[in-house]
Amino acid sequence: MQESRLFKIVYHLLDKGRATAPELAEKFEVSPRTIYRDIDALSGAGIPVYAEAGRNGGIHLMNDFVLDRAVLSEEEKQEILTALQSINSTKNIGSSQTLQKLSAIFNINSEDWLEVDFSRWGNKGTDNEKFELLKSAVIHQKCVKITYANSYGTISERIVQPLKMSYRSMAWYLKAYCTKKQDYRIFKLTRIIDLEVLTDSFCKSSFPELDETSSRACNKIVLRFPKQMSYRVYDEFDRTQVGKKENGDLIVSAEMPEDEWLIGYLLSFGTQVEIIEPAYLTDVVAEQAKKIYEKYTL
């Protein structure tokens, strides 16, 4: 508890410049005597903090003080700046200013080695704008009206309470409470066709841990790919799921949901995939491929 309070005292003084012992005592709900002991502890740890008596006195830090290893390690400072760089890549002005201020406080230059772009090729940053709007709605607890295309091809309007942004399996998702369904839902950002941040606020709740195995039954799927498909196989499957034959072919064994999505996914490989298990799945995919062929040959 004391270490947490000492840390907060330092940041309060960095922000306000100076404060009196009674002010700090009231803020941190301790006695002025405890505050003076804290000041002694900080001074003993190498933090240049001073207490001056008199009308214009008070507790303050040396003017040129910057955070050092007594508070944050060099690695921790760099991790903070790196995280801000990733946020700044969405062109958010506020985070850019924060990055500059923290760089100055830490007295280090942050290497500009990281670039994150949420937009798909050719859309000129509209995905970045979508991400930024949703991030702001999550932080400020504002309802959002979205036009969404679900995995069954249905497009509908919904009003959601955005709770968390989540990145998984090469895609961004929004975890939210859907007022239309009166339940928690996960929305893929690329399927959000349009959105509007509303003025209505909501009380934030915790997104429940969903049992994915119960909502989508998964079975073992075994596939064979020619070696020239390596680029996509390693894009979409973990290397622990991939084995290699002597001729270079790749054997993928993975737990996957057997639904309409899987059929479309397998068809996306065209002739460059062979279904090994389960055997009946070959008939299902072949029938769907036949329907596609007939559609374009009539």
Side-chain angles (χ1 to χ4, degrees):
M1 181 65 182
Q2 183 192 24
E3 290 182 359
S4 175
R5 188 173 63 250
L6 295 178
F7 186 83
K8 291 176 181 178
I9 288 174
V10 171
Y11 274 91
H12 183 80
L13 295 176
L14 280 170
D15 183 43
K16 302 299 182 182
R18 67 174 59 227
T20 65
E23 289 173 352
L24 292 174
E26 182 179 358
K27 179 176 179 61
F28 297 111
E29 299 179 347
V30 295
S31 67
R33 179 176 295 180
T34 297
I35 291 296
Y36 283 120
R37 285 201 296 265
D38 288 344
I39 299 305
D40 289 339
L42 287 170
S43 180
I47 305 295
V49 58
Y50 301 95
E52 296 180 351
R55 182 177 180 183
N56 296 319
I59 300 168
H60 65 92
L61 295 164
M62 183 182 294
N63 289 335
D64 59 353
F65 170 73
V66 296
L67 296 179
D68 61 18
R69 289 182 178 82
V71 181
L72 289 174
S73 69
E74 292 298 317
E75 183 178 357
E76 288 170 330
K77 296 176 193 176
Q78 196 62 56
E79 285 177 355
I80 292 172
L81 295 177
T82 297
L84 282 173
Q85 280 181 349
S86 66
I87 297 172
N88 187 48
S89 67
T90 62
K91 312 304 180 186
N92 181 276
I93 296 175
S95 61
S96 177
Q97 293 172 343
T98 304
L99 182 61
Q100 293 173 2
K101 289 178 180 178
L102 278 180
S103 294
I105 290 175
F106 292 160
N107 198 28
I108 62 174
N109 292 321
S110 178
E111 295 294 334
D112 188 15
W113 63 274
L114 180 66
E115 181 177 337
V116 179
D117 192 342
F118 301 118
S119 62
R120 288 159 286 183
W121 293 107
N123 79 338
K124 298 182 179 179
T126 55
D127 285 333
N128 282 340
E129 296 171 10
K130 184 190 302 181
F131 180 90
E132 193 59 40
L133 285 171
L134 290 172
K135 183 191 78 173
S136 177
V138 170
I139 293 172
H140 298 291
Q141 297 174 219
K142 296 294 183 182
C143 293
V144 178
K145 182 168 73 173
I146 64 173
T147 303
Y148 189 73
N150 67 19
S151 56
Y152 299 101
T154 303
I155 297 177
S156 62
E157 277 196 355
R158 312 183 187 203
I159 294 178
V160 302
Q161 299 173 356
L163 302 174
K164 184 180 291 187
M165 305 290 287
S166 175
Y167 184 80
R168 181 174 181 180
S169 186
M170 300 182 290
W172 278 99
Y173 296 87
L174 173 68
K175 293 184 174 182
Y177 181 82
C178 178
T179 59
K180 180 179 180 179
K181 299 294 184 180
Q182 294 288 293
D183 200 1
Y184 295 93
R185 290 289 189 270
I186 298 177
F187 302 95
K188 193 172 185 178
L189 260 64
T190 52
R191 295 180 186 168
I192 297 177
I193 302 170
D194 197 12
L195 70 91
E196 176 187 355
V197 179
L198 307 176
T199 57
D200 300 335
S201 299
F202 64 92
C203 294
K204 191 168 185 178
S205 58
S206 297
F207 192 88
E209 293 295 328
L210 300 180
D211 185 358
E212 297 182 1
T213 58
S214 63
S215 61
R216 301 184 76 185
C218 295
N219 294 316
K220 182 181 178 181
I221 308 294
V222 182
L223 309 168
R224 181 194 296 267
F225 296 92
K227 59 183 178 182
Q228 58 265 33
M229 292 298 291
S230 296
Y231 73 95
R232 187 169 171 189
V233 169
Y234 288 110
D235 261 352
E236 302 182 26
F237 296 96
D238 188 86
R239 66 182 183 85
T240 59
Q241 299 172 314
V242 182
K244 183 178 287 189
K245 305 295 284 185
E246 289 185 5
N247 66 350
D249 284 358
L250 302 173
I251 304 296
V252 171
S253 179
E255 295 289 325
M256 303 177 76
E258 289 192 44
D259 54 17
E260 289 296 322
W261 170 85
L262 178 61
I263 305 306
Y265 178 71
L266 294 174
L267 285 169
S268 72
F269 288 97
T271 61
Q272 300 299 307
V273 62
E274 176 188 348
I275 301 169
I276 299 176
E277 294 182 25
Y280 66 82
L281 195 57
T282 59
D283 294 332
V284 178
V285 173
E287 180 63 26
Q288 189 63 30
K290 181 181 177 182
K291 290 179 180 178
I292 294 172
Y293 172 78
E294 290 173 348
K295 179 177 181 179
Y296 291 102
T297 54
L298 292 177

